[in-house]
Amino acid sequence: MPPRQGMSATLAFLRKRSRIGFRRSANSVVTALQMTVCAVGAYAFAEQVLGHNGPLFAATSSMISLGFSRDPRVRRVLEVAIGCTLGIAVGDLLLALFGTGLWQAALVLFVSILLARFLDSGTIFTTQLGLQSLLVVLLPAPEGGPFTRSADAIVGGLFALVITVFLPRDPRREPKTNVRGLLDELSGVLREGASALRKSDSTLAWHALVRARNCQSQLDSLTGSMKAAQEVARISPAYRRHREELGSLGDAIDSIDLAIRNSRVFSRRLTSVINHAALTDEAIEALSQSLEDTADAVDVLSRALSVSDSAERRLNLRQARNELAAIATDLHPKTLHISRLEGEGLVLLLRPLIVDLLSATGLSHEDAADYLPRL
């Protein structure tokens, strides 16, 4: 590569990395502020109120307990805080029994690592807990006695818990971001299916199936973020008012889960139908248009479930419901100009997918199914 091209590529790479870094930093301002308040507050409390000299472990244990997770759940904070405190307590106990030295440090580190693995599977948690215990043995004992550091660790864990309960990040942000990404993928699956029909390309239909299967990891992440959000909304006074909204979002996610499962079955069947040339040109056009219209409705549903403004959310939900209802009323083989058994089976698989999406707009399953024509 010529030197000038190499320099241009390097500068482009640095600009891209800088943009990503600045964006990541901007998105972390609130989190960084919470961690700073937590660590400094725990240190100041242990020093000014408890009278401890240089309570380093109050600050470090609060940082470890709070962590940089995007959804700090109370249970996770408690587990880490307790584990961190136990690690320091183990170091204090062994220090009181055996004194300081290299073999004592090795014993403390070994026991602390096993304790960390017992409490949590995370490698970072294990490393941090082992480091805390090792520092207990290697650093000089404080003036108040060895177990002063255990008290500092308890203070740090309590401050992390208070921050999590009373100053949490908006619990709706993570699940709303995740649900939008998931619905964007479902929309892509439907559009690929429509394209596969129009081009009579079974490979494209198979790609749609693979894409639908790959949605599972996103769905798992969304389920986890929803549990964390509902937990924060239950215990945090600041976000308790959002419990109803999160409950509705949780119900919608359950229906979206079913819709994605049905999209996998539909895409698998679509591959077979295309391979057997089971549809006429008129049927292909009608069915592919239904898939495109469904994808458009899913895009509207995605906007509805990801916005924060309640009026905008209701407006988009109503629009998505109306569009899906119009699609549902036409889901009959005769309306779609389908006569062969293979094509009829494809319509039968698309019907429950539309019902699931209608349920995601807030309708009951029975009301959603009523839009379907009788077979």
Side-chain angles (χ1 to χ4, degrees), residues 304-320:
L305 297 180
S306 60
V307 297
S308 298
D309 183 71
S310 58
E312 186 178 356
R313 180 170 59 255
R314 288 193 297 269
L315 181 65
N316 283 310
L317 279 176
R318 189 182 305 115
Q319 180 183 347

Side-chain angles (χ1 to χ4, degrees), residues 280-348:
T280 64
D281 291 343
E282 196 173 19
I284 288 174
E285 181 58 34
L287 188 56
S288 60
Q289 187 60 52
S290 293
L291 291 176
E292 289 282 0
D293 292 342
T294 303
D296 291 339
V298 169
D299 290 339
V300 178
L301 179 62
S302 174
R303 291 198 299 272
L305 297 180
S306 60
V307 297
S308 298
D309 183 71
S310 58
E312 186 178 356
R313 180 170 59 255
R314 288 193 297 269
L315 181 65
N316 283 310
L317 279 176
R318 189 182 305 115
Q319 180 183 347
R321 186 180 302 128
N322 292 338
E323 292 182 8
L324 289 167
I327 298 166
T329 55
D330 289 336
L331 285 184
H332 191 285
K334 289 185 178 179
T335 307
L336 297 174
H337 312 289
I338 293 173
S339 57
R340 292 181 57 177
L341 184 61
E342 294 93 334
E344 291 177 351
L346 201 58
V347 175
L348 290 178

Side-chain angles (χ1 to χ4, degrees), residues 183 186 248-266 294 298 301 305 317 320-321 324-325 328 331 348-372:
L183 286 174
L186 177 58
S248 299
L249 181 59
D251 293 338
I253 290 170
D254 290 339
S255 298
I256 292 169
D257 181 9
L258 296 175
I260 290 175
R261 294 175 190 273
N262 281 322
S263 73
R264 297 169 192 162
V265 180
F266 178 84
T294 303
V298 169
L301 179 62
L305 297 180
L317 279 176
R321 186 180 302 128
L324 289 167
L331 285 184
L348 290 178
L349 293 176
L350 184 58
R351 285 163 65 100
L353 191 156
I354 300 298
V355 170
D356 293 333
L357 291 174
L358 278 168
S359 298
T361 67
L363 291 179
S364 67
H365 179 81
E366 293 74 16
D367 290 340
D370 285 342
Y371 282 106
L372 296 173

Side-chain angles (χ1 to χ4, degrees), residues 186-201:
L186 177 58
S187 175
V189 169
L190 294 169
R191 294 189 194 282
E192 281 197 50
S195 179
L197 264 176
R198 286 198 171 102
K199 297 178 180 179
S200 296
D201 189 341

Side-chain angles (χ1 to χ4, degrees), residues 10-161:
T10 301
L11 291 174
F13 172 78
L14 291 175
R15 283 195 296 268
K16 180 179 179 180
R17 293 293 299 175
S18 298
R19 284 196 301 269
I20 294 173
F22 280 123
R23 189 184 307 118
R24 189 163 54 238
S25 297
N27 293 334
S28 304
V29 169
V30 175
T31 305
L33 181 61
Q34 289 176 333
M35 295 177 72
T36 301
V37 170
C38 186
V40 175
Y43 186 95
F45 182 87
E47 183 180 53
Q48 302 297 326
V49 179
L50 301 182
H52 295 174
N53 183 29
L56 176 65
F57 287 94
T60 57
S61 65
S62 67
M63 290 275 293
I64 296 171
S65 299
L66 190 60
F68 212 86
S69 173
R70 292 177 293 181
D71 55 344
R73 301 174 63 177
V74 173
R75 180 177 177 180
R76 190 194 66 83
V77 171
L78 279 173
E79 286 177 349
V80 176
I82 292 172
C84 186
T85 303
L86 285 177
I88 295 173
V90 167
D92 279 335
L93 179 62
L94 295 180
L95 176 64
L97 292 176
F98 304 112
T100 59
L102 288 179
W103 73 267
Q104 292 93 334
L107 177 62
V108 168
L109 184 58
F110 178 74
V111 172
S112 299
I113 290 174
L114 292 182
L115 177 63
R117 298 303 295 171
F118 173 77
L119 293 172
D120 192 274
S121 60
T123 55
I124 295 178
F125 174 66
T126 301
T127 304
Q128 291 286 1
L129 194 150
L131 178 61
Q132 293 271 341
S133 301
L134 189 60
L135 288 175
V136 168
V137 179
L138 297 180
L139 291 177
E143 296 177 0
F147 288 99
T148 301
R149 292 176 290 203
S150 298
D152 291 340
I154 293 173
V155 170
L158 290 176
F159 264 75
L161 185 60

